[in-house]
Amino acid sequence: MKILISGYYGFENTGDDAVLECIIAGLREKGINDITVLSNTPGNTSSRYNVKSIYRNSFKEIFNAIKNTDILLSGGGSLIQDITSSKSLWYYLSIIFLGILLRKKVYIVGQGIGPLERKYNRLLSSFILRRVDLITVRDKDSMMFLKELNIEKNVILAADPVVDLAPCSDERLEEILRNEGINKGKYIVVCTREWGNNELSRVELAKAVDDISKKYNLEVVFLPFYYNKDDAESEKVANYLKSPYKIIKSKYEPKEILGIVKNCQLLIGVRLHSLVFALVSLVPFIGISYDPKIDGFLKSINLKSFKIDKFSSDELVNYAESILDNRDNFIDNLKIHLEELRKLSDNNFNVFDKSK
């Protein structure tokens, strides 16, 4: 069986790279090894994951790849939305529609669907998605959004594939921390990203990090999830800090990033997958939302969400104290939800048992 995977791959984004790694692992567990990935950097993707890869912007290569595949898999991440841009949405929908036109099985796997602000985009998405063979979504909000688009057939609740990611070895982690000059288990991780000109949010976040790190005697470590992009935003927040800090600028694999997260005392994250990594690591964390996908994830595990343009440092500090002072109870809650999500994650791949 031949599988062609479409998504936001080859851009050095840790979250998306982790999604791809887990999708490939899930397919291989089903005995599927003939895998091709659409990528911005095909050579890197091919060597990193031991798959075939083609350039995501070559229509000729994409057409031939879809023509010669058995199943087109679109996922995961948040591909069907127009908050980032309509152009991005049209790109992913066009690939899905080409798969439909070429009479291939089309699966949308582990995705967060929506929001779609523009009426035309809602109509176009509804028209195309009603014609795919299977949609697995990573949260209930995505199911409800599909229902609004009159899409209920062949829709299954699953989970973000990244809940199955495993960290790097302890030996590799110790090497990384030593190279970065970080004391193992004695640090707080901050994962931010640019979202508009929210200078007040940067000030409030920095003040909260200062207060938390001082009270619990923790180092401050900024951990960019989008290589060569998030470090600029990390610097903007760090400029308001009174505490010493480090910004990790070296490039690491998702499993290595997961190892860094696993050994911190607290994570404060704006990037969705920084929060997923914290859940997988069973590490206390605080989510700051710039997008409904953050709210949907936090709602799915019964945790509070702080809006990026509305939170105060006092709110973050009080919440952090309630978490860290009741650490065992918080982690017990995470364990319950992680187990549930890992069971749901199986739904992303069960269809391949029937496809053989």
Side-chain angles (χ1 to χ4, degrees), residues 322-346:
S322 70
I323 291 172
L324 295 176
D325 293 344
N326 298 279
R327 186 183 185 92
D328 290 344
N329 290 337
F330 187 86
I331 291 176
D332 285 343
N333 178 62
L334 293 186
K335 287 179 180 177
I336 293 170
H337 290 294
L338 179 58
E339 183 178 354
E340 292 172 350
L341 289 175
R342 281 177 169 164
K343 289 178 181 177
L344 284 172
S345 182
D346 291 341

Side-chain angles (χ1 to χ4, degrees), residues 41-54:
T41 52
N44 180 270
T45 298
S46 181
S47 61
R48 179 186 291 185
Y49 302 106
N50 192 27
V51 295
K52 289 176 277 188
S53 185
I54 61 174

Side-chain angles (χ1 to χ4, degrees), residues 84-102:
T84 302
S85 73
S86 291
K87 185 178 179 181
S88 172
L89 171 69
W90 299 339
Y91 169 83
Y92 294 113
L93 288 178
S94 67
I95 290 175
I96 291 169
F97 192 54
L98 185 56
I100 294 168
L101 289 177
L102 293 175

